[in-house]
Amino acid sequence: MQQAVFFEISGWEQQYVKRRLKNTRVLFVDKPLTKETISKAAGADIISVFIYSRLDRQAIRSVKKAALVTTRSTGFDHIDLEACRKRKITVSNVPFYGENTVAEHTFALMLSISRNIHKAYMHSLQRDYSIEGLKGFDLKAKTLGVIGVGHIGLHVIRIAKGFGMNVLAYDVRPNKYLSEILDFEYGTLEEVLGRADIVSLHVPLLPSTRHIINRETIRYFKKGALLINTSRGELVDTDALLMALDRKILGGAGLDVIEGEQLVMEDSQILADPSNEAKLAGLAKNQMLLGRKDVVYTPHIAFYSQEALERILDTTIQNIAAFQKGAPANVVA
Ligand code: NAD
């Protein structure tokens, strides 16, 4: 019988998998796969991870028995695909599970800024119920710029249309049919950034999209526009974002992801050992960003709804069963 090990998986998820995954010995590790926990995967044929597990070249080298890595996420930038190919390890993902889930969260961030929900909440905690400084703006008739019209981007467009927004989109593979059906336009990156009141990022993290928002492209933005990022932190150069907020090129940012978001989670460790200057500098920059009143941050929870988590587990179980039948599904490498 094959052995599977699931990393960074909570109690109820473990029960969910146990009840449904057949003919497989399963080991659960609640922490991510790291140098400290990788020994748990030593005898595993199948490794399931989430995005805080780093399967770099060195990690791949040490999981000698592994034949399948199945990530419980859409993005797979935490896995060295080349190293997996060399070792003939199949890599599967969950290509869609929550386009509505992430798209709904995108609007939670957008509305939080457009209607000052975060500020009103902070005021009410202080028993300040005045409306001073809380005037917002309508989404209706504003232009939303969608960068990346895939599963999530398309759902964002559908919701935006419900709000009565105009949509302008940028994608390397434009789909004319969909743009006619959903009534949106495509433009170049420069056009979209230049015309949108709110820009929302939905491209995957690739060498071609890393820092797609940088010191150059930030200059194209319409003055005072909002930036929403629920995709990957590394799409945005933090220095450029801080500069744009300081100079009011951007009126605000709603961020579910930031560059080096791991640093924020490890802040007490980093502060306890300040010898790693690069980490300390990264943490300081992130804290500067997250402490701003014009920034709303959620700690990478856009995917995090009960329904989406169940869909992720269902697809992962199907990925394992398909692999065991010799017909791997949702293969990315
Ligand atoms: P998708 O693959 O369906 O769509 C991505 C789109 O980006 C495609 O249409 C593709 O053509 C386009 N694209 C690729 N490279 C491009 C480039 N250089 N310039 C312009 N367009 C480009 O992906 P999806 O399911 O919509 O997910 C998008 C991303 O959202 C994922 O890759 C993941 O990183 C992120 N995500 C985040 C969360 C979260 O919890 N915050 C959850 C799920 C997914």
mmCIF file of all heavy atoms in Angstrom, residues 185-208:
data_model
loop_
_atom_site.group_PDB
_atom_site.id
_atom_site.type_symbol
_atom_site.label_atom_id
_atom_site.label_comp_id
_atom_site.label_asym_id
_atom_site.label_seq_id
_atom_site.Cartn_x
_atom_site.Cartn_y
_atom_site.Cartn_z
ATOM 1 N N GLU A 185 -13.534 45.171 -22.213
ATOM 2 C CA GLU A 185 -12.568 45.460 -23.283
ATOM 3 C C GLU A 185 -11.182 45.011 -22.866
ATOM 4 O O GLU A 185 -10.873 45.004 -21.672
ATOM 5 C CB GLU A 185 -12.436 46.980 -23.419
ATOM 6 C CG GLU A 185 -13.303 47.679 -24.396
ATOM 7 C CD GLU A 185 -12.975 49.168 -24.300
ATOM 8 O OE1 GLU A 185 -11.884 49.579 -24.737
ATOM 9 O OE2 GLU A 185 -13.824 49.906 -23.750
ATOM 10 N N TYR A 186 -10.364 44.674 -23.837
ATOM 11 C CA TYR A 186 -8.950 44.425 -23.545
ATOM 12 C C TYR A 186 -8.134 45.648 -23.927
ATOM 13 O O TYR A 186 -8.515 46.395 -24.842
ATOM 14 C CB TYR A 186 -8.429 43.244 -24.360
ATOM 15 C CG TYR A 186 -8.821 41.885 -23.828
ATOM 16 C CD1 TYR A 186 -9.824 41.147 -24.432
ATOM 17 C CD2 TYR A 186 -8.168 41.345 -22.720
ATOM 18 C CE1 TYR A 186 -10.178 39.889 -23.956
ATOM 19 C CE2 TYR A 186 -8.523 40.090 -22.234
ATOM 20 C CZ TYR A 186 -9.522 39.367 -22.853
ATOM 21 O OH TYR A 186 -9.878 38.132 -22.386
ATOM 22 N N GLY A 187 -7.015 45.843 -23.245
ATOM 23 C CA GLY A 187 -6.069 46.892 -23.622
ATOM 24 C C GLY A 187 -4.667 46.420 -23.296
ATOM 25 O O GLY A 187 -4.486 45.327 -22.754
ATOM 26 N N THR A 188 -3.674 47.251 -23.605
ATOM 27 C CA THR A 188 -2.309 46.913 -23.204
ATOM 28 C C THR A 188 -2.197 47.167 -21.697
ATOM 29 O O THR A 188 -3.060 47.836 -21.107
ATOM 30 C CB THR A 188 -1.291 47.816 -23.921
ATOM 31 O OG1 THR A 188 -1.572 49.172 -23.520
ATOM 32 C CG2 THR A 188 -1.384 47.705 -25.427
ATOM 33 N N LEU A 189 -1.117 46.689 -21.110
ATOM 34 C CA LEU A 189 -0.923 46.914 -19.667
ATOM 35 C C LEU A 189 -0.936 48.416 -19.378
ATOM 36 O O LEU A 189 -1.587 48.877 -18.436
ATOM 37 C CB LEU A 189 0.404 46.284 -19.210
ATOM 38 C CG LEU A 189 0.740 46.454 -17.730
ATOM 39 C CD1 LEU A 189 -0.283 45.741 -16.851
ATOM 40 C CD2 LEU A 189 2.142 45.913 -17.416
ATOM 41 N N GLU A 190 -0.244 49.163 -20.231
ATOM 42 C CA GLU A 190 -0.150 50.614 -20.030
ATOM 43 C C GLU A 190 -1.537 51.270 -20.093
ATOM 44 O O GLU A 190 -1.882 52.107 -19.265
ATOM 45 C CB GLU A 190 0.775 51.207 -21.098
ATOM 46 C CG GLU A 190 1.136 52.625 -20.840
ATOM 47 C CD GLU A 190 2.203 53.136 -21.800
ATOM 48 O OE1 GLU A 190 2.887 52.314 -22.451
ATOM 49 O OE2 GLU A 190 2.347 54.366 -21.893
ATOM 50 N N GLU A 191 -2.350 50.834 -21.073
ATOM 51 C CA GLU A 191 -3.706 51.401 -21.212
ATOM 52 C C GLU A 191 -4.560 51.087 -19.989
ATOM 53 O O GLU A 191 -5.277 51.945 -19.472
ATOM 54 C CB GLU A 191 -4.402 50.826 -22.452
ATOM 55 C CG GLU A 191 -3.989 51.491 -23.743
ATOM 56 C CD GLU A 191 -4.386 50.662 -24.978
ATOM 57 O OE1 GLU A 191 -4.916 49.533 -24.833
ATOM 58 O OE2 GLU A 191 -4.140 51.174 -26.075
ATOM 59 N N VAL A 192 -4.486 49.820 -19.550
ATOM 60 C CA VAL A 192 -5.331 49.414 -18.417
ATOM 61 C C VAL A 192 -4.935 50.196 -17.166
ATOM 62 O O VAL A 192 -5.788 50.764 -16.478
ATOM 63 C CB VAL A 192 -5.240 47.882 -18.175
ATOM 64 C CG1 VAL A 192 -6.037 47.492 -16.943
ATOM 65 C CG2 VAL A 192 -5.743 47.130 -19.393
ATOM 66 N N LEU A 193 -3.631 50.263 -16.896
ATOM 67 C CA LEU A 193 -3.190 50.987 -15.700
ATOM 68 C C LEU A 193 -3.537 52.475 -15.807
ATOM 69 O O LEU A 193 -3.875 53.119 -14.819
ATOM 70 C CB LEU A 193 -1.681 50.819 -15.470
ATOM 71 C CG LEU A 193 -1.174 49.385 -15.253
ATOM 72 C CD1 LEU A 193 0.314 49.377 -14.921
ATOM 73 C CD2 LEU A 193 -1.947 48.665 -14.153
ATOM 74 N N GLY A 194 -3.486 52.983 -17.019
ATOM 75 C CA GLY A 194 -3.720 54.420 -17.228
ATOM 76 C C GLY A 194 -5.186 54.825 -17.111
ATOM 77 O O GLY A 194 -5.489 55.964 -16.777
ATOM 78 N N ARG A 195 -6.094 53.880 -17.389
ATOM 79 C CA ARG A 195 -7.521 54.245 -17.413
ATOM 80 C C ARG A 195 -8.318 53.745 -16.208
ATOM 81 O O ARG A 195 -9.421 54.220 -15.961
ATOM 82 C CB ARG A 195 -8.168 53.709 -18.696
ATOM 83 C CG ARG A 195 -7.832 54.592 -19.906
ATOM 84 C CD ARG A 195 -8.313 53.992 -21.205
ATOM 85 N NE ARG A 195 -9.715 53.600 -21.208
ATOM 86 C CZ ARG A 195 -10.265 52.775 -22.103
ATOM 87 N NH1 ARG A 195 -9.513 52.282 -23.076
ATOM 88 N NH2 ARG A 195 -11.539 52.470 -22.042
ATOM 89 N N ALA A 196 -7.758 52.801 -15.459
ATOM 90 C CA ALA A 196 -8.553 52.180 -14.382
ATOM 91 C C ALA A 196 -8.554 53.029 -13.110
ATOM 92 O O ALA A 196 -7.546 53.622 -12.740
ATOM 93 C CB ALA A 196 -8.002 50.794 -14.072
ATOM 94 N N ASP A 197 -9.719 53.033 -12.446
ATOM 95 C CA ASP A 197 -9.817 53.664 -11.122
ATOM 96 C C ASP A 197 -9.344 52.686 -10.050
ATOM 97 O O ASP A 197 -8.859 53.081 -9.001
ATOM 98 C CB ASP A 197 -11.270 54.055 -10.836
ATOM 99 C CG ASP A 197 -11.795 55.027 -11.882
ATOM 100 O OD1 ASP A 197 -11.296 56.166 -11.906
ATOM 101 O OD2 ASP A 197 -12.655 54.632 -12.704
ATOM 102 N N ILE A 198 -9.541 51.396 -10.352
ATOM 103 C CA ILE A 198 -9.088 50.338 -9.441
ATOM 104 C C ILE A 198 -8.437 49.257 -10.302
ATOM 105 O O ILE A 198 -9.006 48.857 -11.318
ATOM 106 C CB ILE A 198 -10.277 49.720 -8.669
ATOM 107 C CG1 ILE A 198 -11.023 50.814 -7.888
ATOM 108 C CG2 ILE A 198 -9.812 48.615 -7.725
ATOM 109 C CD1 ILE A 198 -12.340 50.368 -7.286
ATOM 110 N N VAL A 199 -7.252 48.827 -9.891
ATOM 111 C CA VAL A 199 -6.554 47.776 -10.647
ATOM 112 C C VAL A 199 -6.471 46.539 -9.760
ATOM 113 O O VAL A 199 -6.068 46.630 -8.597
ATOM 114 C CB VAL A 199 -5.128 48.244 -11.030
ATOM 115 C CG1 VAL A 199 -4.316 47.097 -11.630
ATOM 116 C CG2 VAL A 199 -5.192 49.423 -11.995
ATOM 117 N N SER A 200 -6.868 45.388 -10.313
ATOM 118 C CA SER A 200 -6.838 44.154 -9.529
ATOM 119 C C SER A 200 -5.973 43.116 -10.241
ATOM 120 O O SER A 200 -6.150 42.861 -11.437
ATOM 121 C CB SER A 200 -8.279 43.651 -9.344
ATOM 122 O OG SER A 200 -8.319 42.656 -8.376
ATOM 123 N N LEU A 201 -5.046 42.526 -9.503
ATOM 124 C CA LEU A 201 -4.070 41.612 -10.122
ATOM 125 C C LEU A 201 -4.519 40.150 -10.003
ATOM 126 O O LEU A 201 -4.784 39.674 -8.899
ATOM 127 C CB LEU A 201 -2.708 41.757 -9.434
ATOM 128 C CG LEU A 201 -2.107 43.166 -9.403
ATOM 129 C CD1 LEU A 201 -0.758 43.146 -8.686
ATOM 130 C CD2 LEU A 201 -1.945 43.718 -10.820
ATOM 131 N N HIS A 202 -4.543 39.457 -11.154
ATOM 132 C CA HIS A 202 -4.954 38.042 -11.152
ATOM 133 C C HIS A 202 -4.088 37.189 -12.072
ATOM 134 O O HIS A 202 -4.545 36.165 -12.581
ATOM 135 C CB HIS A 202 -6.439 37.929 -11.519
ATOM 136 C CG HIS A 202 -7.291 38.692 -10.553
ATOM 137 N ND1 HIS A 202 -7.492 38.269 -9.262
ATOM 138 C CD2 HIS A 202 -7.901 39.903 -10.662
ATOM 139 C CE1 HIS A 202 -8.220 39.169 -8.618
ATOM 140 N NE2 HIS A 202 -8.483 40.167 -9.444
ATOM 141 N N VAL A 203 -2.830 37.622 -12.299
ATOM 142 C CA VAL A 203 -1.900 36.791 -13.075
ATOM 143 C C VAL A 203 -1.140 35.890 -12.107
ATOM 144 O O VAL A 203 -0.980 36.236 -10.936
ATOM 145 C CB VAL A 203 -0.874 37.645 -13.881
ATOM 146 C CG1 VAL A 203 -1.515 38.275 -15.091
ATOM 147 C CG2 VAL A 203 -0.209 38.688 -13.002
ATOM 148 N N PRO A 204 -0.680 34.727 -12.592
ATOM 149 C CA PRO A 204 0.146 33.893 -11.709
ATOM 150 C C PRO A 204 1.537 34.500 -11.558
ATOM 151 O O PRO A 204 1.915 35.369 -12.360
ATOM 152 C CB PRO A 204 0.225 32.557 -12.450
ATOM 153 C CG PRO A 204 -0.155 32.831 -13.854
ATOM 154 C CD PRO A 204 -0.882 34.133 -13.918
ATOM 155 N N LEU A 205 2.277 34.051 -10.555
ATOM 156 C CA LEU A 205 3.661 34.511 -10.409
ATOM 157 C C LEU A 205 4.545 33.694 -11.347
ATOM 158 O O LEU A 205 4.683 32.481 -11.200
ATOM 159 C CB LEU A 205 4.133 34.337 -8.951
ATOM 160 C CG LEU A 205 5.587 34.738 -8.705
ATOM 161 C CD1 LEU A 205 5.822 36.213 -9.010
ATOM 162 C CD2 LEU A 205 6.004 34.411 -7.275
ATOM 163 N N LEU A 206 5.108 34.368 -12.319
ATOM 164 C CA LEU A 206 5.994 33.754 -13.313
ATOM 165 C C LEU A 206 7.174 34.709 -13.485
ATOM 166 O O LEU A 206 7.070 35.881 -13.103
ATOM 167 C CB LEU A 206 5.281 33.646 -14.678
ATOM 168 C CG LEU A 206 3.980 32.846 -14.737
ATOM 169 C CD1 LEU A 206 3.260 33.117 -16.059
ATOM 170 C CD2 LEU A 206 4.310 31.368 -14.599
ATOM 171 N N PRO A 207 8.272 34.255 -14.103
ATOM 172 C CA PRO A 207 9.355 35.226 -14.344
ATOM 173 C C PRO A 207 8.834 36.465 -15.091
ATOM 174 O O PRO A 207 9.244 37.585 -14.824
ATOM 175 C CB PRO A 207 10.359 34.433 -15.188
ATOM 176 C CG PRO A 207 10.113 32.999 -14.802
ATOM 177 C CD PRO A 207 8.640 32.888 -14.496
ATOM 178 N N SER A 208 7.854 36.267 -15.993
ATOM 179 C CA SER A 208 7.345 37.401 -16.778
ATOM 180 C C SER A 208 6.404 38.311 -15.989
ATOM 181 O O SER A 208 6.096 39.422 -16.431
ATOM 182 C CB SER A 208 6.610 36.882 -18.018
ATOM 183 O OG SER A 208 5.522 36.079 -17.607
#
